[in-house]
Amino acid sequence: MKILKRIKINNINYYVIIELEYKQSENKIPMLRLKNCKNDYWDGGDCSILIEKIEENYSLKKAQQYDNNISYMADILYIYDRMPFISGVKDIIVSNNMIVGESYISKEEIEKYIKEFNVKMNYNDNFKLSDYRTWKF
């Protein structure tokens, strides 16, 4: 299952793609969990709060620390550094109530860009969606 959540930064609506799957809990109850993530806890409310915090704390200066040449990639890397569990980012361009353009970048493409262009990331190995103290803004 994939969920799209809107995140608005720099007056652009991005949509983070989050892959989820059902897993059995210790009590044999099906639970929705993050797919391919070390800490697989999932809660849509916590994710929405994280997105609000990311939007509130965004600044062009913070984003440009990742890429000073391509603002799109700066925004993508800013999001990815704060939401390491996403599987991609999409943006949709709307004009006159019609979709006129759409782009998507996968987690693999983001990581390739980071490696290829030696982008300094602030990886947070202790990130837990369930623990606000591990979040960065």
Side-chain angles (χ1 to χ4, degrees), residues 30-123:
M31 299 183 75
L32 202 53
R33 307 301 247 171
L34 289 166
K35 189 175 182 179
N36 303 322
C37 187
K38 183 174 72 173
N39 182 317
D40 66 354
Y41 166 86
W42 169 252
D43 184 285
D46 285 344
C47 186
S48 293
I49 293 168
L50 174 59
I51 287 171
E52 285 176 25
K53 297 291 185 190
I54 291 169
E55 289 173 339
E56 289 171 4
N57 290 284
Y58 173 85
S59 74
L60 189 57
K61 184 177 179 180
K62 286 181 185 177
Q64 287 178 331
Q65 292 175 1
Y66 300 100
D67 195 314
N68 201 25
N69 299 307
I70 304 170
S71 60
Y72 173 80
M73 281 310 296
D75 288 350
I76 298 300
L77 295 168
Y78 174 85
I79 293 168
Y80 183 65
D81 211 19
R82 285 149 182 82
M83 299 182 81
F85 56 88
I86 61 173
S87 60
V89 181
K90 180 180 199 174
D91 73 288
I92 300 169
I93 301 162
V94 177
S95 179
N96 297 324
N97 294 325
M98 289 180 41
I99 296 174
V100 295
E102 185 176 313
S103 66
Y104 170 77
I105 186 165
S106 69
K107 179 177 189 155
E108 293 76 21
E109 290 173 294
I110 295 167
E111 289 177 350
K112 180 181 176 193
Y113 187 91
I114 291 166
K115 186 177 180 180
E116 193 171 313
F117 295 100
N118 298 315
V119 178
K120 185 179 182 294
M121 301 294 285
N122 301 306
Y123 290 111

Side-chain angles (χ1 to χ4, degrees), residues 7-21:
I7 180 166
K8 186 173 185 171
I9 57 174
N10 205 18
N11 292 319
I12 299 170
N13 288 319
Y14 293 103
Y15 296 87
V16 291
I17 290 88
I18 302 160
E19 289 190 58
L20 304 172
E21 64 185 347

